[in-house]
Amino acid sequence: MKLTWRTELPQLVIIAAMFALAAWSWPRLPEQVPTHWNLQGQVDGHGNKVVGLLVLPLTAAGIYVLLLLLPLADPGGANYRNFAGAYNTIRLGIVALLGVLYTTAVAGVFDWQIDFTRIAFLGSAVLFVILGNVMGKIRPNWFVGVRTPWTLSSKLSWDKTHRLTGWLMMLMGVLFAVVAFVHTTWMLVFMLIVDVACLGWSVIYSYLVYRDDPNRTSPAGTTPSTD
């Protein structure tokens, strides 16, 4: 997969900005800072500045490097060029979400009146909608997308499953957005049940399509020995 400044610079700027914000905030904060918020957006956990200011920037940098290297280790690495736009969108979406969460968390540490929980759910909603929009463009590989034994053994199953999953992920995004404004336990439970059902149906559907595909192959292109 070919890398360009157009795809890499936005992600690097976000990560660099996170570390710059950490450096600026470090001398201005006490040793113990808020690190966790409950469903109502209220602080319910504290930690030292290493946890509060460095964990998310380091996580973003680690995910950036990991997603950059995955195509090199993927046996289907040659396919990444066929969905490079979708893959780069996924990478940018993940790093951008971490950047938004980090900025919101630091603002909360400085006692700005920002509902971290709402921002987290809204950010996740946007990411799910983005993922849903590009899911159908992902081509067979071993690391990205819905990778079941059946999608990896049937091109038809891969294509149909990812198109279906794209719509399901957008539905999940809508539910995340609803929870952002309806901070109730029952709504959160309902969202989790629907999310699990969507993921489960994607797996089941991948098998159903595989079962009816006349061109399916055995996993890894092998068949049981006749000896």
Side-chain angles (χ1 to χ4, degrees), residues 8-55:
E8 305 310 306
L9 188 59
Q11 299 178 69
L12 294 174
V13 167
I14 291 171
I15 294 171
M18 293 171 72
F19 279 105
L21 181 56
W24 179 86
S25 303
W26 193 279
R28 294 171 169 82
L29 292 174
E31 287 303 316
Q32 293 293 309
V33 297
T35 57
H36 192 270
W37 290 258
N38 62 24
L39 189 59
Q40 285 70 43
Q42 301 167 336
V43 176
D44 63 356
H46 291 76
N48 59 43
K49 288 193 289 188
V50 173
V51 175
L53 294 178
L54 291 181
V55 168

Side-chain angles (χ1 to χ4, degrees), residues 44-168:
D44 63 356
H46 291 76
N48 59 43
K49 288 193 289 188
V50 173
V51 175
L53 294 178
L54 291 181
V55 168
L56 274 179
L58 290 171
T59 300
I63 290 176
Y64 171 79
V65 173
L66 175 64
L67 295 180
L68 199 65
L69 297 178
L70 278 185
L72 301 178
D74 195 329
N79 247 354
Y80 281 77
R81 69 171 66 96
N82 297 322
F83 66 98
Y87 187 58
N88 288 328
T89 299
I90 293 170
R91 294 170 58 219
L92 177 59
I94 293 172
V95 171
L97 175 60
L98 292 175
V100 169
L101 294 179
Y102 182 68
T103 303
T104 306
V106 173
V109 169
F110 281 100
D111 293 327
W112 289 21
Q113 297 303 310
I114 298 179
D115 189 333
F116 178 85
T117 302
R118 177 169 294 174
I119 297 298
F121 276 111
L122 283 176
S124 299
V126 172
L127 180 60
F128 269 99
V129 171
I130 291 173
L131 294 178
N133 273 284
V134 302
M135 191 62 58
K137 300 177 183 178
I138 299 175
R139 294 295 170 259
N141 69 92
W142 285 34
F143 291 126
V144 183
V146 185
R147 301 166 314 285
T148 68
W150 308 294
T151 56
L152 294 174
S153 303
S154 165
K155 181 65 164 56
L156 183 65
S157 177
W158 180 281
D159 290 342
K160 286 191 171 184
T161 298
H162 281 78
R163 285 197 294 269
L164 171 67
T165 303
W167 287 106
L168 294 177

Side-chain angles (χ1 to χ4, degrees), residues 20 112 127 174 176 199:
W112 289 21
L127 180 60
V174 171
F176 266 87
L199 295 175

